[in-house]
Amino acid sequence: MNPTALRKIIHLDMDAFYASVEQRDQPALRGRPVAVGGARERGVVAAASYEARQFGVRSAMPSATALRKCPELVFVPPRFAVYKEVSRQIHAIFAEYTPIIEPLSLDEAYLDVTENLAGIASATQIAREIRAKILAETGLTASAGISYNKFLAKLASDYRKPNGQFVVRPGQGLAFVEGLAVGQFHGIGPVTAARMNQMGVFTGADLRVQPVELLTRHFGKAGRYYHAIAHAEDHRPVVPDRVRKSVGSETTFAHDLHKLPELLAALPPLLADVWAYCERTGGRGRTVTLKVKFADFQQITRSRSGVGSVPDATTLARLSRELVEGLLPLPKGVRLLGITLSNLEAGSEGAGQQLKLAL
């Protein structure tokens, strides 16, 4: 048997995490369609409750679109400090069972429980206990997928959402995968799925019969991964303590900005977010990247790297200002601005992510 098949992997995913926290803390919101985010014209939905999802409201959707789909939608401003504290509670529960935890976000993680601290042989039982503890300690529900590799566990966690779990046992992987649409596969986005559909590939069974040479010709190195997952194969281990490579912050403006002083005035909060992380962790980065989204949604980035790490907040601010000044003359209004510090070293922790979601 392939050593990978001996693994017992759980994918835990909180149900509508941000929205569920708000419904937990505000009883008046329970049972109502809720969106975490900004309700203004330029707002974006950060998370939607299951009641809102029934109307087609989804995360990353413009708030105006969400309101058209669901006029009764209630918008709640995000409380990231609260979400992070709840996430710490959840991860502490994970750690009672295994030290091999790979966080994907505040509300999602892989756990390798092949050899676990509780001495429980059944991964299904462990998942059930973890979900029960999460509910008891936080008042929130989680869904779980259990299988012998990460790909199948990830797929399985969506199978019984919300507040459920599903197991794909050794010997069941091929049958489980073959009937699914390729767009449901983790790692195959809408664009790639559309390209596969144009090739006549609609399901896992269709993908499985494609020669690996054909897939690599169309999709490059990713073609080998697609070929493997179509055969229910995934040899990636659960990797704890992933090294964080970047930290960033961005904001979407209520009105397009057209002048340099306006852009420069928008920088301090972004820089404060980024440098606060550096101070807290001791991490330092070498590359400063400016992200700009224009009024017509065209997006560009501009970067500057030094020989050594950015040593202080003053230097970060100077480099960021220079990148903004390099945009002149502005070809059109600016809708969004972001600053990221990457190539982090020394003291960095966790996976790279944005600190502040554009709202």
Side-chain angles (χ1 to χ4, degrees):
M1 181 181 292
N2 190 304
T4 303
L6 299 176
R7 291 180 180 146
K8 297 177 182 179
I9 294 175
I10 302 172
H11 178 258
L12 262 298
D13 193 9
M14 300 299 295
D15 298 322
F17 182 51
Y18 295 173
S20 294
V21 170
E22 298 304 332
Q23 289 178 314
R24 178 197 69 177
D25 293 349
Q26 302 183 60
L29 297 178
R30 295 172 190 171
R32 302 178 65 185
V34 173
V36 176
R40 64 179 188 267
E41 182 182 352
R42 290 298 179 84
V44 176
V45 175
S49 69
Y50 281 96
E51 294 87 352
R53 294 182 190 187
Q54 293 177 1
F55 291 88
V57 178
R58 295 289 184 270
S59 61
M61 177 180 285
S63 298
T65 303
L67 280 169
R68 284 196 297 271
K69 289 180 175 289
C70 180
E72 303 301 316
L73 189 63
V74 179
F75 278 90
V76 179
R79 299 181 296 155
F80 290 112
V82 176
Y83 308 149
K84 289 177 182 177
E85 177 55 36
V86 176
S87 179
R88 280 192 286 269
Q89 288 180 268
I90 294 164
H91 282 259
I93 294 171
F94 296 163
E96 294 177 19
Y97 292 86
T98 177
I100 309 176
I101 304 166
E102 182 177 337
L104 302 179
S105 61
L106 291 179
D107 62 336
E108 183 182 5
Y110 288 112
L111 285 66
D112 188 327
V113 296
T114 309
E115 297 179 2
N116 58 85
L117 301 176
I120 299 173
S122 169
T124 302
Q125 180 181 339
I126 293 174
R128 191 177 294 115
E129 287 191 13
I130 289 174
R131 292 176 48 243
K133 285 190 176 185
I134 289 173
L135 180 60
E137 295 185 21
T138 72
L140 303 171
T141 63
S143 295
I146 305 101
S147 195
Y148 55 91
N149 67 41
K150 291 167 73 173
F151 172 69
L152 292 173
K154 172 81 170 176
L155 285 178
S157 67
D158 284 333
Y159 215 64
R160 292 282 167 80
K161 265 187 168 291
N163 194 26
Q165 65 182 58
F166 188 77
V167 58
V168 180
R169 304 180 189 281
Q172 298 177 336
L174 283 175
F176 180 65
V177 166
E178 65 184 12
L180 298 178
V182 292
Q184 294 177 261
F185 287 12
H186 180 55
I188 297 182
V191 174
T192 300
R195 289 177 61 193
M196 288 185 176
N197 292 167
Q198 291 172 356
M199 297 167 57
V201 176
F202 295 92
T203 66
D206 296 333
L207 184 58
R208 186 181 306 157
V209 299
Q210 305 302 314
V212 67
E213 295 80 11
L214 176 67
L215 293 175
T216 54
R217 185 160 68 247
H218 282 274
F219 303 105
K221 293 180 179 179
R224 293 190 178 278
Y225 172 72
Y226 301 151
H227 184 266
I229 60 177
H231 289 78
E233 297 175 359
D234 182 5
H235 302 297
R236 297 172 301 159
V238 176
V239 182
D241 301 321
R242 292 185 299 163
V243 176
R244 186 168 185 161
K245 297 298 184 181
S246 66
V247 57
S249 181
E250 63 184 38
T251 188
T252 300
F253 305 117
H255 304 285
D256 296 335
L257 305 187
H258 296 271
K259 299 179 181 179
L260 178 63
E262 294 175 319
L263 295 175
L264 295 178
L267 283 178
L270 307 181
L271 297 171
D273 274 350
V274 172
W275 198 255
Y277 172 84
C278 294
E279 288 287 274
R280 187 171 68 252
T281 64
R284 297 292 184 268
R286 292 191 298 109
T287 302
V288 180
T289 299
L290 172 71
K291 174 182 175 181
V292 181
K293 186 181 290 184
F294 292 106
D296 60 0
F297 288 88
Q298 178 195 7
Q299 184 171 300
I300 64 170
T301 58
R302 298 289 184 267
S303 299
R304 181 166 297 182
S305 297
V307 176
S309 299
V310 174
D312 49 46
T314 301
T315 304
L316 176 63
R318 175 178 59 79
L319 295 174
S320 300
R321 285 196 304 269
E322 292 174 359
L323 288 170
V324 170
E325 291 166 352
L327 298 173
L328 300 179
L330 286 174
K332 44 204 160 187
V334 173
R335 175 187 177 87
L336 175 149
L337 207 63
I339 293 291
T340 297
L341 186 62
S342 56
N343 293 320
L344 292 180
E345 303 169 347
S348 305
E349 58 184 23
Q353 62 184 22
Q354 292 297 114
L355 286 181
K356 184 191 295 180
L357 193 65
L359 299 174

